[in-house]
Amino acid sequence: MKAVVMAGGEGTRLRPMTANQPKPLLPVVNRPIMEHVLRLLKRHGLTETVVTVQFLAALVRSYFGDGDELGMRLHYATEDLPLGTAGSVKNAADKLRDDRFLVISGDALTDIDLSDMIRFHRENSALVTIGLTRVPNPLEFGIIIVDDRGRVQRFLEKPTWGQVFSDTVNTGIYVMEPEVLDEVAAGEAVDWSSDVFPRLLERGAPIFGYVSDCYWEDVGTHESYMKAQADALSGRVTLDIGGFEMSPGVWVGEGAEVDPDAVLKGPLLLGDYVKIEAGAELREYTVLGSNAVVRGGAFLHRAVVHDNVYIGPGVNLRGCVIGKNTDLMTGARIEENAVVGDECVIEAEAYVSSGVKVYPFKTVEAGAVVNTSVIWESRGQRSLFGQRGISGLVNVEITPELCVRLASAYATTLKKGDRVITSRDSSRAARALKRAVISALTAGAIDVLDLEAMPLPVARFHTSRRPASGGIALRTTSGDPQSVDIVFMDSRGADLSPASQRKLERVFSRQEFRRAFPGEIGELSFPARAVEDYAQELLRYVDMTGVNGMKVVVDCAGGTSSLVLPTLLGRLGVEVLTVNARLDSASPTETLAERRRDLQRLSELVSSSRASFGVRFDPVGERIALVDEMGQLISEERALLVVLDLVAAERRRGRVALPVTTTRVAEQVCRFHGVQVEWTSTSLDALTSAAARPYMIFAGDGRGGFIVPEFGPTVDGLAAFLRLMGLVARTRLTLSQIDARIPEAKLLKRTVPTPWATKGSVMRSVIEAAEGFRLDTTDGVRVVGEDGRWALILPAATEPATDLWAEAHDFDTAQAFLDRWARIVERAAGT
């Protein structure tokens, strides 16, 4: 058998370590990751190997040559352009002949039993066998579901937490029969997991998963790189560590000089010909490359130091990486998670803060305090985006400097000369931060159309209707006046999709921002008729027949909806009692107590004025709360059903989009009126994408957000209000009568604390416990019983928790079903 080692990886997330060397050459315990992979292949008798190379291919060839020094025969297959995981193997097809072969990544650290995996493949007569392992956080990997025999049932690449059904992931190690290559088009970018395997699975091909308990670490981040070093030193992975063990856990290379008065506390590794002076202290999980010099008084703990590094007197290194040929002068200090690239000079008493990345060939001046990355890289984060965009405390987490970098990253993802719509709420913080956003966009060769203070639906409308490539809106976080949200939009006016968010995050994390030449600086303009254009278009699409003379009460909550409502309602002949119709820059949001107070006041006004209903907008005009003609507040869940009933009763056909967390009473309402339900995941992006499809007549998220598809695919409180007025005016029923005729939902919810590290295993336990039930995996895992009861188990995307919903014909049954699945989650989570 031959093996294929995939060594074309660029390793962008590992920069600056990989700024001038390919990821497979990155050293772990002083040997390139790929060398550990080749030694593993040799231990299992796979000595003839094809290496696929692309990024800095000459460096890989130069280092390993023909493989003679390792006792192997290496052949190389070069890609001119990245061809994907399958395309790169296809590119080497002429070197594989017609024999079974093994594929393995050259940049993942493992000691998997390849011989046993090949045996498993042979005994199952498999076409493809995929190496699988279990990981605590499966989000960055491809999840694979297998049956009891190991046969693959389903693939899922790069899931969200709502799509995590197991913690069993694809290691990128495959045993394959040669005919698999017939499925791969030559010269094209093709991936195994996303292209070839699903196609084979559809045809019923024998694809198996070999679950291994051996060590496997995808060395793709700085954190995993440091973990791999520690695991190697601790013996958690079987590797050949060069040198001899001078004392328990202390490995020393050839020619190393260690002064007897130096302090060494293992496990640690000293490379060939290092020199450690008296008074130096090297503590656990430190790795020194060859020819490193450590002067007296230096302190190193969990530091990974590459070859030929000079560490001066009094230098302090903690949990950091130092690139080769770098000099650290007297008293320099490098903190946790910092990375200093190759051939840098850190002068005396300089301080490099935690998380900072210094790219190769840079000098940090003496005494400098470096809190931001030098030139390119920045601190890696789990995720910039949350449920409300990018959020944080004003001038603590969300600063003008951060806004500049975020807007620069967004501009870099667009083309020069593209147009972006900007807007804000009434707050002073949003006004100040938006100025920083506009400066960065125009400096990135982007034209800006600024709507100033404007409801978010109006900003979304102009982003979708004008020739714009996207938009940025800044608003105060709901319920937290100290925080702000930055909302990034695509050309539809919708929030960025997860894929677009990841693209922006990659640019932001690398800080590889585009800057315009002086003649390319973007234009800044202000539209003259933003409100009028929105109002005219909205009235053109929404049926307002019968509203003349109608009485409603509207609470603008001191927000930007007060800028638009007069223009809208003035054309309709509607009698309106308006409260809080002013811009409140000092209090741009409200506490829960203030919201309840204002809703109570709204209820009193509706009942005393005998209005048809009352509505309260959120401060940006995106979501609404409803009060019926009796002055009773309609809960968000019931409001969704009431509006759904009104729309379905009038339209009598079409489709509605609802998140899977919605009560199935919605299905009864739709069925009664001849309308179909399309269930979506809980993400706003999924709901807006569904709302844009043909025959959609309504969409809602159950949290006061409604979509009017004939006008636009995004949540719009103003459009929902107008549509509701038209519907109420044309029906013979009041809101309270409609609410009374809709069955009561028996939907319960609970949240179970779940550590991040156990979320994957929790969902695997849920799948295993659900045998015999019908499963729906639109988002999370929905377990459906024969009697119609159901439970939804969904890992929270931004918190260490799992959310559960349960519904049945009565509350007792729903409670018992919820308790059952909550116990399963608690047991698997260890809580």
Side-chain angles (χ1 to χ4, degrees):
M1 263 183 77
K2 285 186 178 180
V4 179
V5 175
M6 302 177 68
E10 186 173 347
T12 55
R13 291 180 297 167
L14 285 163
R15 291 179 180 173
M17 287 188 285
T18 54
N20 53 351
Q21 69 177 333
K23 183 180 172 185
L25 290 186
L26 205 60
V28 171
V29 289
N30 289 346
R31 281 183 173 149
I33 302 173
M34 183 174 151
E35 183 173 338
H36 292 300
V37 172
L38 292 175
R39 289 174 180 270
L40 173 68
L41 292 172
K42 184 183 178 185
R43 286 202 299 271
H44 291 276
L46 299 162
T47 56
E48 188 165 357
T49 298
V50 180
V51 181
T52 67
V53 289
Q54 195 263 325
F55 177 69
L56 297 179
L59 296 182
V60 177
R61 283 201 194 90
S62 175
Y63 186 93
F64 291 105
D66 61 4
D68 184 64
E69 288 187 9
L70 294 172
M72 303 182 73
R73 291 178 58 197
L74 300 185
H75 313 274
Y76 295 90
T78 304
E79 305 167 42
D80 295 325
L81 295 171
L83 295 175
T85 55
S88 62
V89 177
K90 177 73 172 185
N91 190 50
D94 61 329
K95 299 179 176 63
L96 297 175
R97 293 192 295 274
D98 295 323
D99 299 322
R100 180 183 298 150
F101 59 92
L102 180 139
V103 178
I104 190 168
S105 172
D107 51 26
L109 199 64
T110 183
D111 57 8
I112 187 172
D113 190 342
L114 298 176
S115 299
D116 192 57
M117 182 176 173
I118 294 168
R119 175 201 59 77
F120 177 89
H121 174 89
R122 187 173 58 249
E123 289 179 356
N124 284 286
S125 300
L127 179 66
V128 177
T129 296
I130 304 170
L132 306 177
T133 192
R134 294 191 170 101
V135 298
N137 182 357
L139 289 191
E140 291 301 316
F141 308 99
I143 288 179
I144 294 179
I145 307 295
V146 297
D147 64 17
D148 294 336
R149 294 180 52 243
R151 188 152 183 162
V152 172
Q153 303 297 304
R154 184 176 179 186
F155 295 93
L156 188 62
E157 277 295 291
K158 300 293 176 68
T160 65
W161 273 119
Q163 298 170 315
V164 172
F165 317 125
S166 175
D167 58 348
T168 306
V169 302
N170 183 357
T171 64
I173 303 172
Y174 312 118
V175 180
M176 295 181 167
E177 297 301 317
E179 54 264 36
V180 172
L181 293 177
D182 296 336
E183 302 291 328
V184 183
E188 295 181 13
V190 184
D191 282 310
W192 293 119
S193 291
S194 57
D195 299 320
V196 180
F197 293 164
R199 193 163 62 241
L200 290 173
L201 196 63
E202 269 187 23
R203 298 212 304 261
I207 303 178
F208 282 75
Y210 173 81
V211 182
S212 171
D213 292 326
C214 296
Y215 182 91
W216 180 81
E217 182 69 44
D218 176 43
V219 187
T221 64
H222 296 288
E223 292 76 14
S224 61
Y225 180 68
M226 299 297 286
K227 180 178 183 296
Q229 308 280 352
D231 290 344
L233 292 172
S234 302
R236 294 190 182 94
V237 53
T238 303
L239 297 179
D240 295 322
I241 298 180
F244 63 97
E245 198 168 3
M246 185 175 72
S247 60
V250 177
W251 282 271
V252 178
E254 178 182 351
E257 296 179 26
V258 181
D259 192 283
D261 290 329
V263 177
L264 304 181
K265 294 185 179 180
L268 57 81
L269 170 63
L270 307 181
D272 297 340
Y273 305 105
V274 303
K275 182 176 181 180
I276 314 295
E277 291 188 353
E281 182 175 354
L282 280 67
R283 297 184 61 100
E284 296 88 346
Y285 305 118
T286 290
V287 177
L288 281 186
S290 299
N291 303 306
V293 174
V294 182
R295 301 291 303 274
F299 176 87
L300 288 76
H301 185 208
R302 291 181 294 106
V304 177
V305 179
H306 295 174
D307 296 343
N308 304 308
V309 171
Y310 171 81
I311 301 173
V315 167
N316 193 302
L317 306 180
R318 295 177 182 269
C320 58
V321 179
I322 309 298
K324 61 181 178 290
N325 302 316
T326 288
D327 295 333
L328 308 173
M329 301 308 184
T330 303
R333 186 181 183 98
I334 316 294
E335 290 291 358
E336 295 275 347
N337 299 317
V339 179
V340 178
D342 297 344
E343 300 193 46
C344 290
V345 177
I346 311 299
E347 294 184 347
E349 304 296 331
Y351 178 88
V352 177
S353 186
S354 175
V356 165
K357 309 295 186 289
V358 180
Y359 257 57
F361 315 111
K362 304 298 180 294
T363 297
V364 176
E365 295 180 354
V369 176
V370 181
N371 291 315
T372 57
S373 296
V374 178
I375 302 301
W376 290 345
E377 290 289 15
S378 76
R379 182 163 49 110
Q381 300 176 350
R382 181 188 298 275
S383 177
L384 281 172
F385 286 86
Q387 292 180 334
R388 300 181 303 271
I390 298 175
S391 307
L393 291 169
V394 174
N395 282 337
V396 177
E397 295 169 308
I398 305 293
T399 63
E401 296 88 348
L402 177 69
C403 289
V404 166
R405 295 200 298 272
L406 286 169
S408 296
Y410 185 54
T412 303
T413 66
L414 305 176
K415 297 178 181 178
K416 286 186 177 181
D418 280 357
R419 175 186 285 176
V420 167
I421 309 294
T422 58
S423 65
R424 62 174 175 86
D425 67 5
S426 60
S427 68
R428 298 170 188 170
R431 180 172 57 193
L433 295 172
K434 182 168 67 66
R435 291 167 179 165
V437 166
I438 291 173
S439 296
L441 290 173
T442 53
I446 299 297
D447 292 334
V448 175
L449 189 64
D450 186 23
L451 303 181
E452 302 182 276
M454 194 62 64
L456 189 52
V458 179
R460 294 187 187 280
F461 164 80
H462 282 287
T463 303
S464 64
R465 295 299 201 275
R466 294 177 183 268
S469 299
I472 301 177
L474 291 95
R475 64 183 181 189
T476 305
T477 301
S478 178
D480 184 2
Q482 305 300 317
S483 299
V484 70
D485 305 331
I486 306 175
V487 180
F488 289 87
M489 294 173 268
D490 60 20
S491 59
R492 303 171 301 160
D495 290 2
L496 291 183
S497 67
S500 296
Q501 290 178 9
R502 285 193 290 269
K503 181 179 179 181
L504 192 151
E505 285 183 355
R506 284 195 298 271
V507 176
F508 176 81
S509 67
R510 296 198 293 266
Q511 291 197 38
E512 296 172 344
F513 304 143
R514 181 183 67 221
R515 294 285 183 247
F517 294 108
E520 297 175 328
I521 299 294
E523 295 277 352
L524 172 61
S525 57
F526 304 89
R529 294 175 47 85
V531 171
E532 290 79 0
D533 291 346
Y534 171 82
Q536 180 177 340
E537 193 78 355
L538 179 57
L539 293 172
R540 189 162 73 90
Y541 279 94
V542 178
D543 184 1
M544 302 305 297
T545 306
V547 301
N548 189 38
M550 189 177 192
K551 181 185 289 187
V552 292
V553 182
V554 176
D555 184 351
C556 297
T560 48
S561 57
S562 61
L563 299 172
V564 180
L565 284 172
T567 304
L568 278 173
L569 300 177
R571 304 181 184 184
L572 297 175
V574 179
E575 185 178 346
V576 185
L577 173 58
T578 308
V579 294
N580 294 321
R582 85 286 182 202
L583 289 183
D584 190 345
S585 61
S587 301
T589 188
E590 71 277 319
T591 64
L592 181 59
E594 291 169 338
R595 173 179 166 81
R596 287 175 175 168
R597 179 200 65 198
D598 288 351
L599 285 171
Q600 179 61 37
R601 176 62 176 156
L602 177 64
S603 297
E604 294 168 358
L605 289 171
V606 171
S607 59
S608 63
S609 64
R610 298 186 179 181
S612 296
F613 66 92
V615 64
R616 185 178 193 275
F617 291 93
D618 71 3
V620 294
E622 195 167 37
R623 299 176 185 276
I624 57 175
L626 296 181
V627 172
D628 67 20
E629 80 287 352
M630 307 291 290
Q632 295 296 313
L633 175 67
I634 305 175
S635 70
E636 291 179 338
E637 295 84 359
R638 297 297 295 180
L640 175 64
L641 295 174
V642 168
V643 179
L644 173 61
D645 185 275
L646 279 166
V647 174
E650 182 168 281
R651 300 295 284 272
R652 292 288 176 177
R653 62 180 179 178
R655 302 174 66 84
V656 301
L658 300 172
V660 290
T661 52
T662 306
T663 171
R664 266 42 187 184
V665 171
E667 280 187 329
Q668 299 178 40
V669 172
C670 289
R671 195 180 307 118
F672 181 80
H673 295 298
V675 173
Q676 293 181 305
V677 179
E678 181 173 321
W679 298 105
T680 75
S681 75
T682 53
S683 73
L684 189 58
D685 173 67
L687 192 67
T688 55
S689 296
R693 294 176 190 139
Y695 310 112
M696 279 292 171
I697 61 172
F698 174 76
D701 63 5
R703 295 181 287 113
F706 300 96
I707 296 175
V708 181
E710 58 264 35
F711 177 64
T714 57
V715 172
D716 188 332
L718 297 162
F721 170 50
L722 258 65
R723 189 183 198 188
L724 183 59
M725 278 199 300
L727 291 167
V728 171
R730 292 187 295 275
T731 186
R732 297 179 180 179
L733 300 174
T734 64
L735 291 188
S736 63
Q737 290 172 329
I738 294 171
D739 190 11
R741 78 178 185 181
I742 297 173
E744 185 179 3
K746 284 83 174 179
L747 180 63
L748 303 175
K749 182 184 177 184
R750 186 180 303 175
T751 297
V752 176
T754 308
W756 287 104
T758 64
K759 283 190 175 184
S761 60
V762 164
M763 298 311 292
R764 175 164 51 88
S765 299
V766 168
I767 290 285
E768 292 169 353
E771 187 175 353
F773 288 93
R774 183 165 62 86
L775 299 184
D776 173 10
T777 55
T778 301
D779 200 12
V781 175
R782 192 169 76 95
V783 183
V784 184
E786 292 181 358
D787 56 357
R789 59 181 172 164
W790 61 271
L792 174 65
I793 302 92
L794 178 63
T798 59
E799 297 176 346
T802 300
D803 294 323
L804 295 93
W805 290 260
E807 187 174 31
H809 296 301
D810 59 81
F811 282 110
D812 290 341
T813 305
Q815 186 66 60
F817 208 46
L818 181 64
D819 291 343
R820 171 180 178 174
W821 291 101
R823 284 194 297 271
I824 292 170
V825 172
E826 289 168 351
R827 194 160 50 242
T831 57

